[in-house]
C-alpha cells in the first residue's frame, strides 16, 4: 500500500492467576476483545493450558478462529504431579510469583523494542489478575500500562481492601463463635455485613497470618495500576463501586461477561472450564419443579476426606430435598488415595 505498513491493532496481554475462577472470566474478556478486533495473547501456565485444550474444546475452537488470538504458556514452578488444590493453593501462589515474574519480563521485552518476541506488535497493555501485582512492577519496568482485573465481586474486593481497617479496629480476628456479629469498618456495607459474609481468609486466629497479609497486600497494590476491571455492573453493586472509586478512580464495571458474550456473539457462553463437564444431569434438572433443587459445589480448589463428603451427603439426603452435588475429579481423599 504505497510502501506503507498496515497499522496493526492494539495488542493486549491477558495474564490470569492459574485457577478456574480466575481463568474463566478472563477468557470471556479475551473473547470479547478479539471480537472487537484487538489482538490478544492469553498467558497461562502449562498446567492450565493442557486442561483447557482437553476440556474446553468448543471454546478453544472459537478462540483460535480469531486471527489475533493466541495462547502463550509458562511454567508455574511446581512438579507436574502436584494437585495445585486444597492446602497447596498458597504454595502455588508463592511458586508462581517467583517463577513467572522474570518470564513475564522476558516475554514483554525489557529492551523497549517494538518486537514482543511473539512475531507481532508489542503489547500495548497488560490486563493482569488482581493477585498478581508483580505484573505492575514489570509493566513499569518495560513501559507498558497495567490494568488489574479482580475476578471476584466488587463487595469481596472492597472487603479485602478494607482489611487493614478491620484489623486496626479489632474486628479481625473474630472474637467468639457468633458469626452473625456485624462488621462495621467496611464503608458502604456497614449496615448489613456480618462476620460470616467475609471471605474465608479472614477466619484466622492471628491477624498477622501470612496468607491473609499476602492477600491484603496484593489488594492494596491495585491503586498502582492504571485502572481496575470488575466483572459486575452498576445496578448490582453501585454503592460499593462508588466506595472503590474513592481509592481507585478508574474502575470499569464490565459485567456480566457471560451475558455480553451471549448478546454480542449471538451464542450461549460455552464452557471454559479446566475440567471436563458432565452434562448428563441437565435432562433431569430441567424436569424438576422451579426452585426445588439444592445445588452444591465446593469450587475448583477445595479438597476433602471421604468422611467429610459422607457427612455432607448425609445432610443432603436427610433434608429430603432434591439436590445436585458437583464433585471435581481428585477432590476426595480416602486414606492416602484420591478417589472420584
Amino acid at each position: 500500500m504505497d510502501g506503507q505498513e498496515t497499522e496493526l491493532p492494539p495488542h493486549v496481554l491477558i495474564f490470569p492467576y492459574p485457577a478456574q475462577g480466575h481463568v474463566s472470566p478472563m477468557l470471556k474478556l479475551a473473547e470479547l476483545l478479539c471480537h472487537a478486533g484487538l489482538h490478544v495473547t492469553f498467558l497461562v501456565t502449562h498446567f492450565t493450558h493442557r486442561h483447557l485444550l482437553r476440556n474446553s474444546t468448543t471454546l478453544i475452537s472459537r478462540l483460535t478462529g480469531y486471527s489475533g488470538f493466541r495462547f502463550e504458556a509458562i511454567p508455574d514452578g511446581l512438579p507436574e504431579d502436584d494437585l495445585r488444590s486444597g492446602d497447596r493453593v498458597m504454595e502455588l501462589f508463592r511458586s508462581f510469583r517467583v517463577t513467572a515474574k522474570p518470564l513475564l519480563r522476558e516475554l514483554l521485552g525489557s529492551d523497549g523494542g517494538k518486537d514482543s518476541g511473539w512475531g507481532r506488535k508489542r503489547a500495548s497493555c497488560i490486563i493482569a489478575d488482581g493477585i498478581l501485582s508483580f505484573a505492575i512492577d514489570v509493566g513499569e519496568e518495560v513501559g507498558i500500562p497495567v490494568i488489574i482485573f479482580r475476578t471476584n465481586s466488587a463487595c469481596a474486593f472492597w472487603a479485602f481492601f478494607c482489611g487493614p481497617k478491620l484489623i486496626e479496629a479489632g474486628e479481625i480476628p473474630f472474637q467468639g463463635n457468633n458469626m452473625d456479629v456485624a462488621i462495621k469498618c467496611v464503608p458502604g456495607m456497614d449496615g448489613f455485613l456480618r462476620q460470616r459474609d467475609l471471605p474465608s481468609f479472614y477466619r484466622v486466629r492471628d491477624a498477622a497470618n501470612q496468607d491473609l497479609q499476602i492477600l491484603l497486600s496484593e489488594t492494596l497494590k491495585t491503586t498502582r495500576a492504571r485502572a481496575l476491571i470488575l466483572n459486575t455492573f452498576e445496578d448490582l453493586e453501585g454503592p460499593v463501586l462508588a466506595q472503590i472509586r474513592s481509592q481507585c478512580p478508574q474502575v470499569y464495571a464490565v459485567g456480566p461477561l457471560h451475558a455480553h458474550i451471549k448478546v454480542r456473539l449471538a451464542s450461549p457462553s460455552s464452557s471454559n472450564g479446566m475440567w471436563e463437564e458432565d452434562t448428563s444431569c441437565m435432562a433431569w434438572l430441567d424436569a424438576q419443579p422451579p426452585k426445588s433443587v439444592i445445588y452444591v459445589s465446593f469450587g475448583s480448589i477445595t479438597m476433602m476426606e471421604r468422611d467429610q463428603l459422607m457427612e455432607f451427603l448425609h445432610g443432603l439426603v436427610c433434608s429430603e430435598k432434591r439436590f445436585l452435588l458437583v464433585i471435581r475429579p481428585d477432590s476426595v481423599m480416602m486414606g492416602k488415595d484420591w478417589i472420584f
Side-chain angles (χ1 to χ4, degrees):
M1 298 181 182
D2 299 329
Q4 295 183 354
E5 294 184 3
T6 303
E7 180 66 24
L8 293 172
H11 174 198
V12 180
L13 172 71
I14 297 184
F15 187 28
Y17 180 74
Q20 172 71 63
H22 298 249
V23 172
S24 180
M26 295 186 84
L27 272 173
K28 289 181 172 67
L29 178 63
E31 184 169 12
L32 288 166
L33 293 178
C34 286
H35 184 68
L38 277 66
H39 283 178
V40 174
T41 295
F42 201 81
L43 182 59
V44 293
T45 64
H46 292 300
F47 179 86
T48 299
H49 192 216
R50 285 195 302 272
H51 278 70
L52 288 172
L53 291 177
R54 185 186 308 129
N55 301 318
S56 299
T57 54
T58 301
L59 174 73
I60 298 303
S61 176
R62 200 163 68 222
L63 284 171
T64 53
Y66 294 101
S67 60
F69 179 86
R70 67 170 295 164
F71 279 110
E72 188 74 22
I74 57 176
D76 60 20
L78 294 179
E80 290 296 314
D81 59 353
D82 192 289
L83 292 174
R84 297 162 172 81
S85 298
D87 57 4
R88 300 278 293 173
V89 169
M90 291 307 295
E91 185 169 345
L92 168 61
F93 174 80
R94 295 185 183 91
S95 173
F96 187 56
R97 183 166 56 174
V98 172
T99 303
K101 186 173 183 178
L103 294 175
L104 178 63
R105 185 186 295 113
E106 180 181 349
L107 287 171
L108 290 169
S110 59
D111 61 358
K114 295 181 179 179
D115 185 1
S116 66
W118 301 318
R120 65 197 306 183
K121 184 176 182 178
R122 186 171 185 249
S124 312
C125 172
I126 304 167
I127 299 179
D129 196 288
I131 60 172
L132 299 179
S133 66
F134 65 81
I136 303 176
D137 300 331
V138 175
E140 290 176 349
E141 290 176 20
V142 302
I144 299 176
V146 176
I147 297 173
I148 287 297
F149 185 168
R150 285 299 289 236
T151 57
N152 52 10
S153 68
C155 288
F157 169 80
W158 186 233
F160 273 125
F161 197 94
C162 295
K165 292 182 179 179
L166 296 178
I167 294 172
E168 183 180 353
E171 295 195 278
I172 303 296
F174 298 156
Q175 304 297 320
N177 298 317
N178 182 7
M179 297 299 287
D180 288 320
V181 171
I183 295 294
K184 301 177 182 179
C185 291
V186 181
M189 299 167 65
D190 49 303
F192 57 85
L193 192 66
R194 304 161 299 172
Q195 289 182 355
R196 69 172 66 253
D197 300 319
L198 290 175
S200 60
F201 281 95
Y202 275 127
R203 300 183 185 186
V204 296
R205 296 182 178 179
D206 182 359
N209 177 275
Q210 186 177 19
D211 293 346
L212 174 62
Q213 289 298 322
I214 287 174
L215 289 173
L216 295 183
S217 175
E218 289 293 308
T219 301
L220 292 175
K221 290 176 182 177
T222 302
T223 57
R224 294 174 50 207
R226 187 67 60 90
L228 170 64
I229 294 174
L230 292 165
N231 186 15
T232 188
F233 53 100
E234 295 289 342
D235 286 348
L236 181 65
E237 297 185 280
V240 173
L241 287 167
Q243 294 290 337
I244 294 172
R245 289 189 175 102
S246 70
Q247 302 297 320
C248 307
Q250 297 298 321
V251 176
Y252 297 98
V254 301
L257 291 172
H258 69 280
H260 288 311
I261 287 180
K262 183 176 181 179
V263 171
R264 294 170 187 267
L265 277 62
S267 66
S269 178
S270 59
S271 168
N272 51 10
M274 294 167 58
W275 287 271
E276 184 177 3
E277 287 189 352
D278 181 356
T279 59
S280 61
C281 65
M282 296 305 296
W284 173 84
L285 188 61
D286 289 341
Q288 307 310 307
K291 301 180 181 180
S292 66
V293 178
I294 300 172
Y295 175 72
V296 183
S297 173
F298 298 105
S300 62
I301 61 175
T302 298
M303 294 192 293
M304 69 190 81
E305 295 180 357
R306 183 180 181 278
D307 289 346
Q308 292 175 309
L309 174 63
M310 296 307 296
E311 189 72 18
F312 278 111
L313 283 171
H314 180 77
L316 288 168
V317 171
C318 289
S319 73
E320 298 184 353
K321 303 292 185 181
R322 300 173 178 86
F323 66 89
L324 178 61
L325 171 63
V326 178
I327 301 178
R328 192 184 77 253
D330 299 325
S331 64
V332 183
M333 185 176 184
M334 180 186 292
K336 295 182 179 179
D337 299 319
W338 294 97
I339 62 175
F340 293 98

